[in-house]
Amino acid sequence: MATVTFDHATRVYPGTERPAVDQLNLHIEDGEFLVLVGPSGCGKSTSLRMLAGLEDVNAGRILIGDRDVTDVQPKDRDIAMVFQNYALYPHMTVADNMGFALKIAGTPKAEIRQRVEEAAKILDLTEYLDRKPKALSGGQRQRVAMGRAIVRQPQVFLMDEPLSNLDAKLRVQTRTQIASLQRRLGVTTVYVTHDQTEALTMGDRIAVLKGGLLQQVGTPAEMYSKPANVFVAGFIGSPAMNIGTFDVVDGAAKIGSTSVPLEAQQVAALTDADGGKVTVGFRPESLDVVPAGTPGSFAIEADLVENLGSDSFLYGKLKDDAAALHAGDSDQVIVRVAPGSVNKGDVINVVIKPGQAHVFSAATGERLAGANDSVEAPAA
Amino acid sequence: MENLQITAAKPDSALLDLPWKIPLEDWPDEVLAALPRGISRHTVRFVRLKDRVLAVKETRDHYAFREYDLLRRLGKLEIPCVVPLAVITGRADDNGEPLETCIVTEHLAFSLPYRAVFSQSLQPKTASRLIDALAVLLVRLHLIGFYWGDVSLSNTLFRRDAAAFAAYLVDAETGDLHRELTDGQRAYDIDLARTNIIGELFDLEAGGFVDEGVDLVGIGDTLVERYNELWDALTSVESFPAEERWRVDDRIRKLNDLGFDVDELSIVTDLDGATVQIQPKVVDAGHHSRRLLRLTGLDVQDNQARRLLNDLDAWAAAHDRGEDSEQIVAHDWLMRSFEPTIQAVPHNLRRKLDPAQLFHEILEHRWYMAQRESRDVPMPEAAREYADEILRHRPDEQALLGSLPGDTEIIELNETPSDDDTVEAAAIQQIEAEDAATLTALRAGTLDIDGSVTRRSAFQR
């Protein structure tokens, strides 16, 4: 087991000018489950492949433990790409399916059996070891595929969108298994996904990338409650955060006909480049429904109400200025409301809960710290 | 709800006749040409559509379009691979429940899955011929910048190519086309190929298809050796004193012998012109097949072409045609030797092998006859005896889909879980019964796939 360090690691593909991964600095602790997440083309898979030795590192270096592996062949890095090859061999027993790579490497038989048995115990496969894979359920077959990587006892597990070609049922099942298995084994794991829900539910820490640049790295709670910039704010969380850019008048953001007060230190942090504007974000659950006319409140007209049982989400528009706010890819405002309390076409008044507005520079998109940023973030 | 949609370069309305409303694994027998065998992570079925055989695979949207696109690009780059026909999206059953996207590829006529080649028992010589073919394919893929990501015998189809095999890429799902590959990508592909091949051989061993004492790891290692030899021959930089210029021609001839044409060769001399460095920059496989195509219009595999070109040379010498134009001699050889030989094989047997392979095997048979009878044997006579004694007993390889006994059901990792112990017991029994049946068939000698073994038994009679 080992730490993993990206030290100013850069990858420029031949024939391109802009780096696919630009000076990535990231230190992953021994035993940590780190998720690389971001939209397509952000550099997450390239980063993983640099660690795997599949992509050249054009500048900077990569370390596993204290060992500089920048120029080491993939097979000599002591890593395992899990799920890379998940064909199971029909004539071989489950034990042989798990241990055959060790047999190729010339590991003594008794040691292979011992390692396979240990892995089987962790994977709940002990009673199936002498059966053929045909006799296993879909989930058990997935575990045999994981067992193949485990018996090799690598320093680091690498997983590149391992769930993307599974059907929905098996995806959720396997996601839970991978996360709990990783915690039991304690092997440093780097996991790539484009799905922020997967990232939030699986990772000890999450690294968000965009355009080859690391945007922020932190625990799921930190990413959720203190996004470092507008991109992370909009990317993490589902339904997405409501975000808009507004004029600053007398220390407050003018949202429609109302004023949402900003903290003094946030106003002080504005520069000429911001041009008197500020970007404000608030999550769907950060709003309270209040009577019309409440100071700082704004009116929202409901286009659609989605009832999820315990929660309902209202999708609508700011009454005064329909284009001012958006959430994710939609141009709508999203508000969590009590189920049954609002219907399509209703107009409700909401205020942002105290301390739950996220404020960013309109020019750079960087977070402008408020008083709450210094205290420990509440769990998401 | 989305409607059924067919994306295809050359749409065929007959595709609409297939039962897209039914999950692929439940397709009725009457549309199926055969069940696939071997190991796959998705449901795959072979269907007969008019006079064609198609392979249909269920997968997720994104992957289907990606693979369709990759296979088309590989085809345009003249890489031997299956031809993608269509992607079928918007499938739903009668209750409106969505079904997975399908990718449809054309079945490669006369191709053999590795399990069919080995189903009687693994001959180390046959194994190394398959490995050679796979090494050539992997080098060709790497030269154009294709990273495979899951190289294995199961993801390859083999076509007979005279005494050798030619390998075709079947599954491009994990692949990626890059501008050029890094050494790490090549090394990883090679290492994975080695591991997968040895795993597949272990599986044959576990199924009882391998004689004891065969060095399976050694067979896997030959892939790495063959790959490295070929890669070096095709790409390495060679330095020599300026006066040894013949080495430029020599290098080109060596590459031709390996079946490659040199499209671009970089020649660099040092400042005082004392040493020369050469390195092939662009090489194209198919040196012999291109030449044969130009001369005769026959479009065949490279080793088959080499064999036919040798026969053409021998024919020209025997008929004292050395002075005539190559094109005219080739035309006469085609009309007076090649065509009559093929025609001498009864019509109903002729379609079991492709014509070039048939001609190659008749040439081989003529050699055995000549040895046996110590005389010159005319081709039509060799053809008739070959057809009667050997070809008659061989399976039809035009659409051999791997549905041979001994190949157990596909193992899919994403199929619906079932923890039922009775199902397990039944499945195990089924596998064991199938294996036993295969072994019995082997001992009885009723399984004939590999021509060489059949030939031996024909002569013993």
Side-chain angles (χ1 to χ4, degrees):
Chain A
M1 269 163 270
T3 59
V4 169
T5 309
F6 288 86
D7 176 14
H8 296 87
T10 299
R11 171 60 171 152
V12 184
Y13 283 112
T16 63
E17 304 213 332
R18 201 175 59 82
V21 174
D22 196 355
Q23 306 243 2
L24 176 62
N25 285 314
L26 186 59
H27 182 79
I28 303 162
E29 292 301 336
D30 185 8
E32 189 176 19
F33 193 125
L34 183 107
V35 180
L36 294 170
V37 67
S40 141
C42 71
K44 58 189 187 295
S45 284
T46 304
S47 303
L48 186 89
R49 290 180 198 148
M50 287 160 80
L51 173 56
L54 296 174
E55 292 292 352
D56 290 341
V57 177
N58 302 106
R61 50 185 201 143
I62 293 176
L63 293 96
I64 296 178
D66 296 331
R67 180 175 171 229
D68 184 341
V69 296
T70 311
D71 298 314
V72 174
Q73 288 267 313
K75 68 180 164 61
D76 300 324
R77 293 193 177 199
D78 205 6
I79 50 168
M81 298 274 272
V82 189
F83 300 110
Q84 199 65 27
N85 156 26
Y86 40 126
L88 298 187
Y89 301 118
H91 294 108
M92 279 157 53
T93 61
V94 167
D96 288 343
N97 263 290
M98 279 164 64
F100 83 95
L102 297 179
K103 188 173 161 190
I104 297 175
T107 312
K109 261 191 181 159
E111 191 185 335
I112 297 177
R113 186 71 197 183
Q114 187 206 334
R115 287 210 219 167
V116 166
E117 280 175 3
E118 281 171 14
K121 212 163 130 192
I122 296 170
L123 293 162
D124 274 337
L125 288 170
T126 304
E127 57 180 308
Y128 302 99
L129 276 181
D130 296 315
R131 301 197 198 179
K132 301 276 172 71
K134 174 74 190 161
L136 302 183
S137 68
Q140 288 164 337
R141 288 174 190 172
Q142 288 289 335
R143 301 212 293 273
V144 176
M146 283 189 242
R148 250 185 213 170
I150 294 171
V151 298
R152 288 177 46 202
Q153 301 178 345
Q155 304 252 35
V156 185
F157 285 142
L158 307 184
M159 305 190 196
D160 192 355
E161 304 250 7
L163 309 180
S164 56
N165 63 358
L166 299 181
D167 65 41
K169 194 164 48 174
L170 210 48
R171 211 177 320 154
V172 176
Q173 197 182 336
T174 310
R175 179 167 97 193
T176 323
Q177 278 173 2
I178 292 175
S180 75
L181 181 70
Q182 194 275 339
R183 261 132 217 153
R184 270 192 280 173
L185 289 169
V187 177
T188 313
T189 300
V190 184
Y191 185 105
V192 165
T193 180
H194 66 278
D195 180 344
Q196 58 86 34
T197 308
E198 236 171 83
L200 285 173
T201 53
M202 296 179 82
D204 291 326
R205 280 193 306 156
I206 302 169
V208 176
L209 284 96
K210 183 197 164 206
L213 292 166
L214 180 64
Q215 303 292 307
Q216 186 178 2
V217 58
T219 63
E222 283 164 358
M223 306 301 280
Y224 194 84
S225 60
K226 273 186 256 169
N229 58 38
V230 173
F231 175 76
V232 175
F235 186 76
I236 296 285
S238 175
M241 185 188 284
N242 303 295
I243 297 172
T245 298
F246 308 96
D247 289 329
V248 179
V249 178
D250 297 334
K254 290 288 286 179
I255 300 184
S257 57
T258 201
S259 288
V260 173
L262 301 169
E263 294 179 39
Q265 66 185 96
Q266 291 166 333
V267 176
L270 292 174
T271 65
D272 290 348
D274 291 311
K277 288 180 183 292
V278 73
T279 300
V280 177
F282 46 90
R283 297 202 177 275
E285 67 272 25
S286 296
L287 297 167
D288 281 327
V289 181
V290 292
T294 306
S297 74
F298 41 93
I300 289 169
E301 182 173 358
D303 294 336
L304 175 82
V305 180
E306 185 185 42
N307 196 340
L308 301 175
S310 56
D311 279 330
S312 274
F313 287 98
L314 171 161
Y315 295 81
K317 288 201 167 59
L318 198 60
K319 195 95 172 68
D320 294 344
D321 186 359
L325 280 164
H326 67 275
D329 295 333
S330 80
D331 55 359
Q332 289 175 306
V333 185
I334 307 174
V335 187
R336 188 174 75 184
V337 291
S341 65
V342 185
N343 293 310
K344 186 178 164 183
D346 289 355
V347 175
I348 59 167
N349 283 276
V350 294
V351 290
I352 302 173
K353 291 179 183 174
Q356 295 199 18
H358 301 268
V359 181
F360 307 96
S361 154
T364 65
E366 292 301 311
R367 181 180 192 83
L368 301 177
N372 269 352
D373 283 20
S374 51
V375 298
E376 196 52 40
Chain B
M1 199 188 71
E2 206 185 339
N3 293 322
L4 188 76
Q5 194 180 340
I6 297 181
T7 307
K10 289 180 225 152
D12 182 345
S13 62
L15 278 174
L16 288 168
D17 297 338
L18 292 171
W20 300 113
K21 285 177 161 189
I22 305 173
L24 190 53
E25 58 179 348
D26 298 332
W27 277 20
D29 288 348
E30 55 266 27
V31 297
L32 298 183
L35 281 177
R37 302 292 167 143
I39 304 162
S40 163
R41 73 187 96 179
H42 298 289
T43 309
V44 180
R45 292 292 180 267
F46 293 108
V47 300
R48 207 172 281 286
L49 195 66
K50 293 192 279 189
D51 51 355
R52 288 188 298 178
V53 175
L54 309 178
V56 184
K57 175 167 91 171
E58 267 182 359
T59 180
R60 294 169 63 105
D61 253 30
H62 166 73
Y63 286 91
F65 281 111
R66 200 173 163 278
E67 188 167 9
Y68 177 81
D69 179 53
L70 263 181
L71 287 172
R72 285 191 49 158
R73 284 160 72 194
L74 290 177
K76 282 181 186 152
L77 291 164
E78 300 191 344
I79 291 294
C81 62
V82 292
V83 178
L85 276 190
V87 174
I88 318 289
T89 47
R91 294 174 64 211
D93 67 12
D94 283 332
N95 301 321
E97 284 296 310
L99 296 172
E100 282 208 295
T101 295
C102 283
I103 175 166
V104 183
T105 53
E106 192 146 6
H107 175 70
L108 194 61
F110 299 109
S111 65
L112 305 168
Y114 83 101
R115 286 169 168 263
V117 181
F118 286 146
S119 67
Q120 39 195 331
S121 87
L122 181 140
Q123 306 284 330
K125 232 164 74 186
T126 314
S128 64
R129 287 190 292 158
L130 291 193
I131 304 289
D132 281 355
L134 187 51
V136 172
L137 176 62
L138 193 55
V139 166
R140 288 182 64 180
L141 288 167
H142 284 179
L143 283 172
I144 60 149
F146 184 80
Y147 165 73
W148 194 337
D150 196 10
V151 195
S152 69
L153 293 170
S154 328
N155 285 338
T156 312
L157 278 175
F158 297 91
R159 262 182 175 171
R160 292 186 189 284
D161 180 11
F165 286 99
Y168 283 69
L169 177 138
V170 182
D171 190 329
E173 198 176 299
T174 48
D176 235 333
L177 202 47
H178 299 261
R179 191 183 162 111
E180 65 189 85
L181 293 187
T182 65
D183 288 344
Q185 282 164 327
R186 291 197 303 114
Y188 188 79
D189 245 3
I190 299 164
D191 189 48
L192 195 62
R194 174 179 174 270
T195 307
N196 283 347
I197 288 167
I198 299 171
E200 288 165 323
L201 296 177
F202 281 169
D203 188 52
L204 289 175
E205 187 181 42
F209 302 108
V210 180
D211 294 334
E212 264 180 52
V214 178
D215 176 12
L216 300 178
V217 175
I219 293 174
D221 287 339
T222 57
L223 177 99
V224 184
E225 289 158 24
R226 297 311 308 268
Y227 175 95
N228 287 333
E229 278 168 25
L230 188 56
W231 183 263
D232 285 346
L234 293 176
T235 62
S236 67
V237 179
E238 196 178 334
S239 292
F240 43 82
E243 55 269 25
E244 293 180 23
R245 274 191 210 157
W246 53 271
R247 287 176 61 168
V248 176
D249 285 339
D250 193 53
R251 177 76 179 262
I252 293 173
R253 201 169 306 121
K254 273 185 194 145
L255 292 177
N256 290 165
D257 284 346
L258 289 168
F260 287 82
D261 280 325
V262 181
D263 254 17
E264 194 184 319
L265 183 78
S266 109
I267 304 180
V268 182
T269 53
D270 61 1
L271 278 179
D272 57 4
T275 43
V276 177
Q277 278 197 343
I278 58 169
Q279 185 185 24
K281 286 291 182 190
V282 183
V283 291
D284 278 333
H287 171 71
H288 301 96
S289 58
R290 257 195 302 278
R291 184 165 161 237
L292 186 74
L293 182 67
R294 183 165 49 78
L295 289 175
T296 65
L298 291 174
D299 192 1
V300 308
Q301 308 283 350
D302 207 54
N303 285 309
Q304 291 171 337
R306 189 192 306 235
R307 193 74 208 270
L308 298 192
L309 286 167
N310 283 343
D311 187 61
L312 166 59
D313 287 344
W315 188 85
H319 292 77
D320 202 15
R321 300 284 300 274
E323 301 295 306
D324 294 359
S325 116
E326 210 181 13
Q327 253 91 0
I328 292 170
V329 178
H331 180 259
D332 289 350
W333 168 83
L334 189 68
M335 303 311 288
R336 294 207 233 148
S337 177
F338 184 83
E339 293 292 355
T341 302
I342 302 298
Q343 298 295 331
V345 177
H347 199 263
N348 60 328
L349 299 178
R350 216 180 289 158
R351 53 185 281 264
K352 286 189 169 187
L353 292 175
D354 74 73
Q357 188 63 23
L358 202 53
F359 193 79
H360 159 76
E361 299 217 349
I362 295 167
L363 278 174
E364 288 285 285
H365 190 73
R366 183 174 69 162
W367 185 84
Y368 282 102
M369 285 178 74
Q371 294 286 307
R372 188 181 65 197
E373 298 172 17
S374 304
R375 66 174 175 102
D376 272 347
V377 179
M379 279 301 271
E381 185 189 338
R384 279 188 294 273
E385 185 184 298
Y386 167 80
D388 200 46
E389 293 194 359
I390 292 165
L391 191 59
R392 186 176 303 287
H393 307 288
R394 293 192 35 173
D396 186 348
E397 292 188 356
Q398 187 173 20
L400 187 66
L401 302 167
S403 52
L404 289 160
D407 285 324
T408 45
E409 293 284 315
I410 33 171
I411 301 290
E412 283 157 31
L413 281 162
N414 55 351
E415 76 185 20
T416 316
S418 125
D419 282 311
D420 190 340
D421 271 336
T422 45
V423 175
E424 288 176 14
I428 291 169
Q429 264 179 359
Q430 190 200 335
I431 294 171
E432 284 169 357
E434 280 177 8
D435 289 358
T438 311
L439 291 173
T440 314
L442 281 176
R443 289 190 198 101
T446 48
L447 270 184
D448 287 331
I449 291 292
D450 191 304
S452 60
V453 177
T454 319
R455 181 172 296 116
R456 262 198 311 283
S457 59
F459 279 106
Q460 278 155 6
R461 264 201 305 277

